[in-house]
Amino acid sequence: MAEQNNRRRGAQRLEPKAKVAVKRSASATSGRKPRQATALRYDSDNHWQTAKTAFSRLLTTPAATLMTVAVLAIALALPGVLYSGLKNVQQVAASWEGDPRIALYMELSVDDQQADSLSRELLLRDDLAAVELISRADGLAEFRALSGFGDVLEYLGQNPIPAVITVQPALMSNDELIELQQQLEMEPGVAEAQLDMAWVQRLNSALEVAKRVVVMLGILLATAVLLVIGNTVRVSIESRREEILIAKLVGATDSWVRRPFLYTGAWYGFLGGLCGWGLIQLALMLIDTPVRELAGLYQNSFSLLGLGLVDTTLLICFSLFLGLIGAWVAVSRYLRSIEPQ
Amino acid sequence: MIRFDNVSKCYETGHEALTNVSFALDDGEMAFLTGHSGAGKSTLMKLIMLMERPTRGQVFVGEQNLAGLDRQQIPYHRRRIGVVFQNHQLLFDRTVFDNVTLPLMICGFSPRDAGRRARAALDKVGLLSKEKMNPIALSTGEQQRVGIARAIVHKPQVLLADEPTGNLDPQLSEEIMRLFLEFNRHGTTVLIASHDMGLIQRMRVRMLSLKQGRLAADG
Ligand SMILES: Nc1ncnc2c1ncn2[C@@H]1O[C@H](COP(=O)(O)OP(=O)(O)O)[C@@H](O)[C@H]1O
Ligand SMILES: [Mg+2]
């Protein structure tokens, strides 16, 4: 209380001549030019407001924003296109993989009747879904028709084509298929049992390699997206350096400083993801017609798969997430750099 | 309210800016901090703001030992303090009004509430009519008063001013000092760094004098 009185007395001792109107000096205002064009109200506590402000900040530099978004879109679209291409090939491969066949080439000594009785026997087996016999006569006729070497066969005098039984196994695993093939090879009269699956396996392992390449490329380009967004946010932090320093001095928390930049990063991620999706759809549309024609040649009713709702959502969420991370890292680094010691 | 216990501050350069400084400023007290340029006035202010940490000794603000505050607590500590800088440090990309509401937005006031308080603060420094202007269009004295409005808008317990009249003519300086006295009369603890001895002596307020980082006089 005594303290308070002291102060009061001190204040009263102030001379009245201090009551002077503040003169406005014109010279003080002529130095710098106000940057009214870029003036934006600072971000309030309200998240939606902050998001809108961050968006309108992006719009103040439309060319730079567009360029960044384009880079992000391309970086996201490249693995995206490869991924959907892979998905389509897998879809085709899966439809073939469904019915592997085993071709049983009979000994030449086995005549059509013996082959026929073997095929009837095989029909009774539970692990075979279908059995088809191509008799020696049929085989010869087919060969004659397809090869045009009919006359040569006339001179041979004897039919060189063995009977072939094609079996379609019931659904089973690869190991079981190989076991079945070996079993069938043991059947009397069978010269060779050929599992018509080797190429499917080759395709599958090729797809596996392709998948890894796409994943690797995806990781590399995701890192690029992260770096591009991080760097873009860093530039926008630099341009608001003064504001951040003042905000920190009047008691802004790190998260308060961080928030608008997180929205900036999220916007970049979102817009990049959206445009990336657009690029992917465009690329698929462009290759759709040639693919259809190609499929038509193989009498295959094949239709190109787009990204689909789930993959689209994933793509956009992922790139938004990358934007958040990139911005987070950029702001955190900056905040640490302005911290004393 | 503010207490220094044998505080020394040595910068990384090896320069000892403060040596064994001890003093206490009571709640609601006002004092001037004087000393030649480079005496350590700004350093002392920075220690109170936790912009720097003391090398030795302890600083207390309102019974809180600042050594006990970690990074996350610093913002909340700073919200109890209002600061006026030597070079006003206003943002020229927004209006006077938006400059003054900044601390309130940071503290999480609603825009309506913040607006009301900012206008009250601007009224106190006599600049209510200029709230919509860009601070660049104001005179130096007016800019300094905007800085003061921003420092007091959230009703801090402590008001620090580092050379607030540094580049103002004597009349404007006195006007500014009167404002500080006014705030002090309403119960705010005020510490003002200044080397304007003529002005300070007329004020007859407690004076802490620094000389090469040591407290040379108190009274
Ligand atoms: N960040 C810093 N790093 C190194 N030395 C500093 C730093 N800040 C101030 N100093 C030195 O500390 C001394 C006191 O500085 P300061 O507190 O700014 O004095 P004043 O405000 O009284 O003029 C000066 O010699 C100055 O050069
Ligand atoms: Mg100084």
Side-chain angles (χ1 to χ4, degrees), chain B residues 9-18 33-46 52 86 162-163 193 195 210 213:
Chain B
K9 172 65 190 178
C10 191
Y11 283 110
E12 294 96 279
T13 53
H15 182 88
E16 188 153 278
L18 290 177
L33 185 64
T34 65
H36 58 93
S37 177
K41 304 182 293 293
S42 298
T43 302
L44 192 146
M45 296 276 181
K46 284 181 186 164
E52 295 287 350
Q86 188 165 5
D162 192 357
E163 315 251 8
H195 54 234
L210 283 173

Side-chain angles (χ1 to χ4, degrees), chain B residues 148-192:
Chain B
I148 293 170
R150 188 182 64 193
I152 52 108
V153 71
H154 58 301
K155 300 215 163 69
Q157 301 162 339
V158 179
L159 183 57
L160 301 179
D162 192 357
E163 315 251 8
T165 60
N167 37 22
L168 298 183
D169 62 51
Q171 285 186 329
L172 287 177
S173 300
E174 197 139 345
E175 183 85 354
I176 298 285
M177 288 304 180
R178 268 172 47 79
L179 268 176
F180 286 122
L181 282 171
E182 178 75 24
F183 295 129
N184 177 240
R185 208 175 305 145
H186 287 96
T188 311
T189 308
V190 180
L191 182 62
I192 303 169

Side-chain angles (χ1 to χ4, degrees), chain A residues 14 43 48 57 63 88 93 100 105 110 124-125 142-143 151 157 160 181 185 196 203 218 251 260 275 280 285 289 299:
Chain A
L14 190 72
D43 317 290
W48 174 233
R57 264 181 204 281
N88 281 300
Y105 296 94
V110 175
L124 298 176
R125 291 179 64 135
E142 198 174 322
F143 181 79
D151 296 343
Q181 177 219 357
E185 211 161 31
D196 192 10
L203 179 66
C275 294
I280 293 170
M285 248 163 62
T289 315
Q299 281 134 22

Side-chain angles (χ1 to χ4, degrees), chain B residues 61-74:
Chain B
V61 174
E63 300 312 311
Q64 170 73 58
N65 185 347
L66 299 193
L69 296 179
D70 62 22
R71 251 178 63 81
Q72 277 80 41
Q73 293 168 306
I74 291 177

